[in-house]
Amino acid sequence: MLVLNAIIVDDEEFARSSLYFLLQENCENIQISGIAKSVTEARKLLAENKIDLIFLDIAMPGENGFELIPAAVQNNAHVVFTTAYDQYALKAIKANALDYLLKPIDIDELKETVIKATKYIGQNKLSAQQMNSQLTQLAENLADRSEIRKLNLPNGQGGYTLVNFNQIIHVEADSNYSVFHLSGMEKITVAKVLKEYEEILPENKFVRVHKSSIINLDYLKEYNSKNGLEVVLKSGVKIAVSRRRASEFAEKVKTYTNFRSDE
């Protein structure tokens, strides 16, 4: 198995020591090359060592974790964010298909993240250019903080496709996969459940109408109850609306329509 040189960056002593212990006990291919309690210390470790993987806390005094990103990109180091809060930051990380671990860190999630990182690094699927694009987009989202507008979707070819939210017509569940139907593009299938994207997509435009469907209200043409409640999209696709989601859907359409009329 490929051995990865890693560093842990966190200002809290307990968080540093507990993650170190979890990695030592459960991830035999991770070699801890250093532990830093600040971004300044982490930059020094990156300058002095060949680092493959960074476990990076977000909220730290002085410089926060995002300010280490330029050095991570320069050293082609894969980043796994660790965080206990700041829902906007977490949403932005998810939208850019970057790895993250919620504190307190779950052992199984840690193992899964390490396996994923090992695969990417070992096969050189995540190039420095791709990583830079993802992290740059993340920085833009975090700088704005009004609304996340773009989504990085793994394209099944070792890379990512950057998609504007307004390109997404609807998303459908296919077992443990999510299929994105896009305007002017081929559909993209992603190995993540629909629930993950329900949490990322803006609530003012996207609504889950069924356990297997999320639609973009920008592409809604009509809805009716001829054959049970269903929506018809501008693309001509018809999608059923489940009974338990009907009232929420109607309210979302009302709010969306009022918002559009005020523009």
Side-chain angles (χ1 to χ4, degrees):
M1 182 178 289
L2 178 66
V3 175
L4 301 181
N5 295 320
I7 61 172
I8 297 170
V9 186
D10 200 306
D11 65 303
E12 297 180 1
E13 183 178 356
F14 176 77
R16 295 192 301 269
S17 59
S18 62
L19 179 53
Y20 176 84
F21 174 78
L22 288 175
L23 289 166
Q24 292 293 299
E25 293 295 314
N26 299 281
C27 305
E28 60 182 20
N29 70 312
I30 299 297
Q31 175 68 47
I32 303 300
S33 299
I35 298 177
K37 60 179 181 289
S38 68
V39 170
T40 299
E41 290 184 6
R43 286 197 188 97
K44 186 176 181 181
L45 288 173
L46 285 172
E48 296 175 351
N49 302 275
K50 173 63 179 74
I51 302 301
D52 303 301
L53 187 60
I54 304 172
F55 292 94
L56 180 60
D57 185 27
I58 295 175
M60 293 183 286
E63 296 178 287
N64 65 41
F66 296 119
E67 294 177 83
L68 184 63
I69 296 308
V73 171
Q74 184 177 358
N75 288 272
N76 199 22
H78 188 86
V79 176
V80 175
F81 291 99
T82 61
T83 182
Y85 54 91
D86 193 336
Q87 289 305 304
Y88 187 93
L90 184 59
K91 194 172 182 178
I93 290 167
K94 288 181 179 181
N96 289 280
L98 295 164
D99 287 332
Y100 67 93
L101 290 165
L102 286 177
K103 296 178 181 177
I105 293 172
D106 178 81
I107 293 174
D108 291 333
E109 291 180 358
L110 175 62
K111 289 179 179 178
E112 184 179 341
T113 296
V114 168
I115 290 171
K116 180 181 176 183
T118 303
K119 179 180 178 181
Y120 278 134
I121 294 169
Q123 297 179 3
N124 293 317
K125 284 190 173 182
L126 198 62
S127 70
Q129 183 178 5
Q130 289 170 337
M131 183 185 295
N132 189 40
S133 175
Q134 288 172 267
L135 294 172
T136 299
Q137 185 59 49
L138 171 64
E140 289 177 3
N141 281 331
L142 290 167
D144 184 347
R145 281 192 173 264
S146 59
E147 182 181 313
I148 298 169
R149 296 180 175 85
K150 295 181 180 180
L151 192 64
N152 262 309
L153 298 176
N155 57 24
Q157 301 173 3
Y160 294 81
T161 300
L162 185 63
V163 173
N164 287 306
F165 283 157
N166 59 18
Q167 292 178 281
I168 301 171
I169 301 172
H170 68 105
V171 191
E172 63 177 332
D174 183 4
S175 185
N176 291 326
Y177 294 81
S178 296
V179 182
F180 283 77
H181 296 262
L182 307 169
S183 175
M185 298 175 64
E186 294 183 0
K187 64 184 181 182
I188 297 176
T189 301
V190 180
K192 289 186 178 181
V193 296
L194 199 62
K195 177 67 174 176
E196 289 207 34
Y197 292 108
E198 183 182 11
E199 295 173 355
I200 297 170
L201 296 169
E203 295 180 359
N204 62 324
K205 283 189 179 183
F206 291 86
V207 56
R208 191 164 184 171
V209 297
H210 192 274
K211 66 179 181 180
S212 60
S213 301
I214 296 173
I215 68 167
N216 183 346
L217 293 176
D218 284 347
Y219 291 92
L220 178 63
K221 181 179 180 181
E222 63 181 77
Y223 61 98
N224 59 65
S225 56
K226 293 178 183 177
N227 302 305
L229 187 58
E230 69 176 11
V231 296
V232 181
L233 303 181
K234 293 177 181 178
S235 60
V237 171
K238 297 180 180 180
I239 299 174
V241 179
S242 67
R243 287 185 179 181
R244 75 182 189 90
R245 297 180 185 273
S247 59
E248 179 187 358
F249 167 71
E251 188 62 32
K252 282 281 187 76
V253 171
K254 181 179 178 181
T255 302
Y256 171 81
T257 304
N258 290 338
F259 175 76
R260 298 291 290 181
S261 64
D262 290 341
E263 289 186 338

